[in-house]
Amino acid sequence: MSLLIKNGEIVTADGRAHADVLCEGETVTRIGTNLEAPTGARVIDATGKYVFPGFIDPHVHVHLPFMGTFSKDTHATASQAALVGGTTTFIEMCAPSRHDDLLEGYAQWKEMAEGQSACDYAFHMAVPRFDDRAAAQLREVVADGTTSFKVFLAYKDFFGVDDDELFGALTLARELGVITTAHAENADLIAKLQARLLAEGKTGPEWHEPSRPVSVEADGVHHFATFLEATGARGYVVHLSCAAALDAALAARRRGVSLAIEVVAPHLLLDASYAERPDFEGAKWVMSPPLRTKADARALWHALQAGLIDTVGTDHAPFDAGEQKVMGKGDFTKIPNGIPGIEERVKLLYTYGVSRGKLDLHRFVASASTNAAKLFGLFPRKGTIAVGADADLVVWDPAQRSIISAADHVMNVDYSGFEGMEVDGRADLVSVRGVVQVEDGRFVGAPGRGQLLRREPEHV
Ligand code: URP
Ligand code: ZN
Ligand code: ZN
């Protein structure tokens, strides 16, 4: 089976050309002008459109047992939402808690995704506990091709690790050639601040941000970086939200620490005032780290523009406003943390980055696809358009306009954090390894086509 995409403008992280792309089987086999269609090929006319490499979301929660409930998506719904938005690969946090068996958790996540995901996927393996047994199990996980870890410095007694464990996990990561991603907030300080606010009768969602101020995150980033420095491990800070944490990360880099930086769509586009909306509506925008000030968002955009931030993910974490966020009425510490977004990330970044003149097309592709592929062992199979790469392609129509609404989204969650925002562009056609999964912006494909991507460790 072959697919020929003609007359589009191919844009990658470092190149741009008007050319045709021929996909045969699962890979790109030719790029050139005036390519002839092989017999039986499907030909797509992409005149006036961009052809981008499939986008990669490096931070997604699909199955997430958290704060007494479970995130709402299934691998079927999340992957179809991803594809409709132009994301052809996501990396999910495989997140058993401290009280679960690591390998059982890993098997469970794999089983839930297999045959259900319509796009390709990989896992970051959470390390919620570290001891000899966990170390032996993590070796098995890495041998199975899952070559990135996740540590939480927050969420003490559930996902969180202590300093002994952090040191052990990073030492093992260094030995195995694995990159470690981290949620970096000081857990002890959060607990103290939460208790103080509640004692003062400050119980609404607007108090979530003051319970986790920017200093708590900057401290977490500095702490993580210090441990990376001591162990020589490679690190990646997830959902960095504010200027203070950015300063801590960049300072670490300047002293030679290997630390990549991820931001997520909510921190770029929303601010703390959303969580202050009356009648508990603010709970929809409770996530950790919290939404910050407009000045913080501006600092993130500047750093992204300057190439100081590596990736833009979502931290997709779908909890219904109606049944789940309300669990925290009367106590903001019980509001399930998270905002959905896997479907909307690419459009939002295109609109508020490219269309608004903040990002050029190459930086856009790099931060939404290529850099994640490089950091997480998927490049050049994913993250670019080149002969031999997987035929994960997005034919993007920049002329389309729409308004984000939960009324027509594919994600299995009852609200959108970006409701009412106007967006430019649409993923008209999306292929996963040569098979068309989205046409005219709608999922038309094979529900279980996605594969678990096995990756190799990297010793640098
Ligand atoms: O609020 C968030 N971010 N929820 C999902 C879990 C996490 O910390 O990534
Ligand atoms: Zn997190
Ligand atoms: Zn997350």
Side-chain angles (χ1 to χ4, degrees):
M1 187 192 44
S2 49
L3 177 69
L4 178 62
I5 300 178
K6 287 188 76 67
N7 308 320
E9 185 174 4
I10 299 171
V11 182
T12 63
D14 50 16
R16 186 167 177 168
H18 283 95
D20 305 339
V21 189
L22 178 64
C23 313
E24 291 172 292
E26 299 202 337
T27 54
V28 172
T29 52
R30 286 189 70 193
I31 300 171
T33 45
N34 301 319
L35 295 186
E36 289 289 324
T39 312
R42 171 148 188 219
V43 181
I44 305 292
D45 181 14
T47 303
K49 299 177 185 173
Y50 295 120
V51 183
F52 294 130
F55 293 99
I56 300 173
D57 191 335
H59 185 165
V60 166
H61 303 274
V62 179
H63 173 60
L64 178 64
F66 187 43
M67 299 185 73
T69 187
F70 295 86
S71 52
K72 284 300 298 280
D73 265 317
T74 62
H75 288 83
T77 57
S79 63
Q80 292 177 30
L83 283 166
V84 163
T87 293
T88 52
T89 297
F90 62 78
I91 311 183
E92 182 184 0
M93 302 295 166
C94 172
S97 83
R98 200 171 171 76
H99 315 291
D100 301 319
D101 183 78
L102 268 180
L103 272 187
E104 279 174 21
Y106 184 57
Q108 184 195 0
W109 258 262
K110 278 173 64 173
E111 200 179 304
M112 290 182 94
E114 196 177 343
Q116 300 298 317
S117 181
C119 66
D120 285 351
Y121 57 95
F123 295 111
H124 298 303
M125 185 67 216
V127 185
R129 190 184 61 243
F130 191 83
D131 50 22
D132 288 347
R133 180 176 163 79
Q137 294 187 324
L138 289 166
R139 286 177 191 280
E140 287 188 45
V141 170
V142 173
D144 192 50
T146 289
T147 58
S148 45
F149 291 164
K150 170 75 182 280
V151 291
F152 291 88
L153 307 194
Y155 311 135
K156 203 174 172 176
D157 301 324
F158 194 69
F159 292 137
V161 283
D162 64 25
D163 283 352
D164 274 352
E165 293 171 317
L166 179 61
F167 191 85
L170 292 178
T171 303
L172 182 70
R174 164 82 203 258
E175 181 202 322
L176 297 179
V178 161
I179 187 168
T180 301
T181 70
H183 175 137
E185 291 182 297
N186 183 316
D188 290 318
L189 203 43
I190 293 166
K192 296 288 179 212
L193 296 179
Q194 286 178 331
R196 191 169 75 192
L197 287 163
L198 291 176
E200 290 167 359
K202 295 170 174 164
T203 59
E206 69 276 24
W207 298 105
H208 177 70
E209 200 282 338
S211 76
R212 316 169 91 101
V214 294
S215 53
V216 160
E217 186 184 348
D219 184 68
V221 170
H222 176 70
H223 194 78
F224 179 51
T226 305
F227 277 64
L228 291 173
E229 199 169 7
T231 55
R234 283 183 297 134
Y236 173 103
V237 58
V238 301
H239 52 37
L240 183 135
S241 74
C242 58
L246 179 64
D247 288 348
L250 296 178
R253 267 194 200 163
R254 280 195 295 275
R255 51 177 209 274
V257 178
S258 172
L259 181 60
I261 302 171
E262 172 196 275
V263 293
V264 294
H267 294 133
L268 285 173
L269 296 159
L270 309 170
D271 62 69
S273 66
Y274 283 82
E276 292 164 6
R277 289 195 179 178
D279 303 325
F280 201 68
E281 206 205 345
K284 291 177 182 171
W285 291 277
V286 165
M287 70 173 290
S288 297
L291 299 179
R292 304 296 191 185
T293 63
K294 288 188 170 62
D296 283 307
R298 273 197 301 276
L300 300 185
W301 276 111
H302 283 139
L304 186 59
Q305 195 168 30
L308 297 171
I309 286 170
D310 298 275
T311 62
V312 178
T314 55
D315 193 11
H316 175 72
F319 295 104
D320 273 346
E323 280 182 16
Q324 295 178 296
K325 292 281 185 177
V326 289
M327 292 161 60
K329 245 189 177 157
D331 179 349
F332 69 86
T333 68
K334 297 194 166 53
I335 300 170
N337 287 197
I339 300 178
I342 196 168
E343 192 166 340
E344 299 147 341
R345 174 186 66 125
V346 178
K347 271 186 201 169
L348 288 166
L349 191 64
Y350 181 84
T351 305
Y352 296 95
V354 178
S355 293
R356 299 290 192 273
K358 290 198 190 88
L359 295 181
D360 68 29
L361 280 170
H362 305 293
R363 188 80 78 204
F364 163 69
V365 171
S367 60
S369 177
T370 316
N371 292 348
K374 288 182 174 170
L375 285 161
F376 297 117
L378 296 169
F379 190 83
R381 179 175 173 194
K382 307 286 191 191
T384 193
I385 301 176
V387 171
D390 279 1
D392 294 355
L393 300 170
V394 176
V395 177
W396 185 265
D397 184 353
Q400 294 274 344
R401 304 272 179 279
S402 57
I403 295 180
I404 290 177
S405 172
D408 55 22
H409 71 199
V410 176
M411 301 179 291
N412 185 35
V413 60
D414 67 359
Y415 79 102
S416 167
F418 306 96
E419 184 78 28
M421 291 176 79
E422 292 180 20
V423 279
D424 303 338
R426 184 181 79 167
D428 264 7
L429 180 136
V430 180
S431 66
V432 175
R433 285 176 285 106
V435 169
V436 173
Q437 295 286 73
V438 168
E439 251 183 281
D440 297 326
R442 293 188 188 287
F443 181 74
V444 293
R449 170 154 181 78
Q451 279 182 356
L452 172 60
L453 300 168
R454 293 196 157 75
R455 300 171 283 144
E456 292 297 321
E458 202 181 331
H459 293 275
V460 286

